[in-house]
Amino acid sequence: MNTPPSPPSPSGAERTDGSAVQIGALVPLTRPGWAEAGQHLLAGLELAVREVNDGGGISGRPLELVVRDTAADPQRAAAAVDELARLGVAAVAGEYHSVVARAAAARADALGLPFLCSSAVLDALTEQPTEWVARLAPAQSHGWQVYADFLLGAGHTRIAVAAQPSVYWASGTRILRDYLAPRGGTVIELDMRALTPTAVCDELVDHRATALLLLVGHPEPAVPIVKAVRRDERLANVMMGAPAGQPEFAEWTALLGDDGAAIPFLRYLPERFGPLGARVEAALRERLAEAPSFVAFEGYDTVAVLADVLRSHGADRARIAEAWPRVAVEGTRGRIQFTRTPGISVWQWTWAPVQVVDRDPADPDRFRVRHTG
């Protein structure tokens, strides 16, 4: 296990000159990154930083984000972590894409730089257990098992997955298969390297699948697949799902219209917000000029946790990492505390609330909660 060094490295030494306390922020802001998710994540991070500074900062010092665009590129993210470490940031936060977050976490672990991962869910965020990395998002194995329970409850036992090559999609397929098989479910893999959207429709008919899960990129090839299935009369009773959350964002409805409704996905919000969540929801809505996604709340909660740690333990990197198990912060979605969870290599919040949600066919701008876990 990679433990925080003692004494701390000079690059992590706490400043005492009144200059800003800096946090590095990794965010996908350009293609092929999911830029809309990145914008929501950054909005949450920035709102929380503004509120921290309005409240006096970190022991009188302003909190400052140093933002780097990862563009969904693991190598770019690793290079950004190197750069941020040289710049002297106290910690790194953020990232949405799991494969990118894994590269960032590995580099942060190697450098002895605390990393609070906001939104990525891949269970194996690092190859070996580490003391340097903590995570707010539920692990994929937890969230996707909730999704599998939803599928079974809705009567789906023959489930096709249209999947692209990726550690993340492969992990999701394995989680679904391992969970569904003992409960009478079958997972049929459709390799999107070899199939067109029309061919996917034929495979669904041939395999008598009642559900199709989109384990693919957005907008390509997710949007063409949805359009093809919606227009195939043979598949009128096939439910489509997107556990990774593609329908969460406004671009989905802009590209698909009514075809994008009734496609359940995972999001990490409570059934009802408390006072903090309601206030932050209103502020985020104003900031984004649209309803905030769960990713925006993850961004806000990330800074809330780091600000609490910085106030209590200072900006020394080793002390920040040592503080993960002592965190107890009221976030927008519940009380945040980190524990060691079997099979998870980082400090994990267990668990943020999990919902299976879709867009209402009668009003695609409205979300329906289909299942909670």
Side-chain angles (χ1 to χ4, degrees):
M1 183 176 292
N2 190 359
T3 56
S6 182
S9 62
S11 63
E14 184 173 353
R15 303 174 186 179
T16 58
D17 58 1
S19 59
V21 179
Q22 294 183 321
I23 296 172
L26 303 176
V27 188
L29 294 173
T30 54
R31 297 288 186 189
W34 199 338
E36 193 173 4
Q39 290 160 2
H40 280 236
L41 178 58
L42 184 58
L45 292 165
E46 290 179 337
L47 173 64
V49 167
R50 189 187 72 187
E51 292 187 357
V52 168
N53 288 334
D54 287 347
I58 307 299
S59 301
R61 299 165 62 192
L63 186 62
E64 178 182 306
L65 284 183
V66 183
V67 180
R68 293 295 180 267
D69 174 19
T70 64
D73 183 336
Q75 292 182 332
R76 185 166 170 172
V81 173
D82 284 340
E83 179 197 4
L84 291 165
R86 289 194 302 270
L87 290 173
V89 300
V92 174
E95 196 43 50
Y96 176 78
H97 299 283
S98 281
V99 175
V100 180
R102 187 175 63 161
R107 199 72 199 115
D109 181 46
L111 293 171
L113 178 61
F115 174 34
L116 179 50
C117 182
S118 302
S119 196
V121 300
L122 195 67
D123 281 40
L125 206 55
T126 56
E127 291 296 329
Q128 300 295 328
T130 174
E131 300 290 344
W132 290 102
V133 183
R135 174 168 55 190
L136 289 176
Q140 188 179 19
S141 58
H142 176 72
W144 287 46
Q145 285 179 15
V146 172
Y147 197 93
D149 280 332
F150 160 73
L151 292 172
L152 292 172
H156 298 290
T157 56
R158 294 190 63 80
I159 297 146
V161 296
Q164 291 179 304
S166 161
V167 171
Y168 176 64
W169 300 128
S171 172
T173 300
R174 183 174 61 253
I175 291 164
L176 292 169
R177 178 178 287 112
D178 290 349
Y179 191 78
L180 290 168
R183 295 163 176 82
T186 300
V187 174
I188 304 143
E189 283 191 67
L190 306 179
D191 186 350
M192 293 312 300
R193 291 173 296 185
L195 297 173
T196 64
T198 300
V200 168
C201 295
D202 294 335
E203 292 285 332
L204 294 174
V205 173
D206 291 345
H207 287 287
R208 296 178 288 109
T210 65
L212 170 66
L213 304 188
L214 304 167
L215 309 192
V216 294
H218 169 74
E220 298 286 340
V223 169
I225 294 171
V226 171
K227 289 180 176 179
V229 172
R230 292 294 195 218
R231 282 152 181 70
D232 194 318
E233 294 181 357
R234 301 173 298 171
L235 305 175
N237 294 321
V238 170
M239 185 206 81
M240 282 183 286
Q246 294 94 323
E248 168 83 5
F249 298 96
E251 184 186 22
W252 179 265
T253 298
L255 293 172
L256 282 166
D258 292 345
D259 284 346
I263 299 180
F265 62 93
L266 285 166
R267 73 175 184 183
Y268 309 120
L269 293 178
E271 186 174 354
R272 293 183 187 84
F273 283 119
L276 173 62
R279 179 181 63 75
V280 170
E281 194 275 341
L284 286 169
R285 185 181 292 271
E286 181 178 357
R287 194 178 192 91
L288 290 162
E290 63 182 3
S293 70
F294 70 87
V295 183
F297 292 94
E298 289 175 326
Y300 184 95
D301 286 341
T302 299
V303 171
V305 168
L306 285 174
D308 183 78
V309 171
L310 288 164
R311 290 189 191 103
S312 301
H313 301 278
D316 177 82
R317 292 174 180 174
R319 294 195 190 102
I320 291 170
E322 290 166 354
W324 296 138
R326 296 192 288 277
V327 165
V329 174
E330 289 300 329
T332 59
R333 299 163 298 142
R335 187 169 180 80
I336 298 169
Q337 295 179 285
F338 298 118
T339 61
R340 285 299 188 188
T341 303
I344 309 298
S345 59
V346 301
W347 288 101
Q348 175 71 55
W349 180 21
T350 51
W351 299 102
V354 178
Q355 299 175 330
V356 179
V357 178
D358 68 5
R359 291 181 176 271
D360 189 341
D363 179 7
D365 289 330
R366 190 177 79 86
F367 293 111
R368 305 182 299 182
V369 177
R370 306 288 302 278
H371 183 75
T372 58

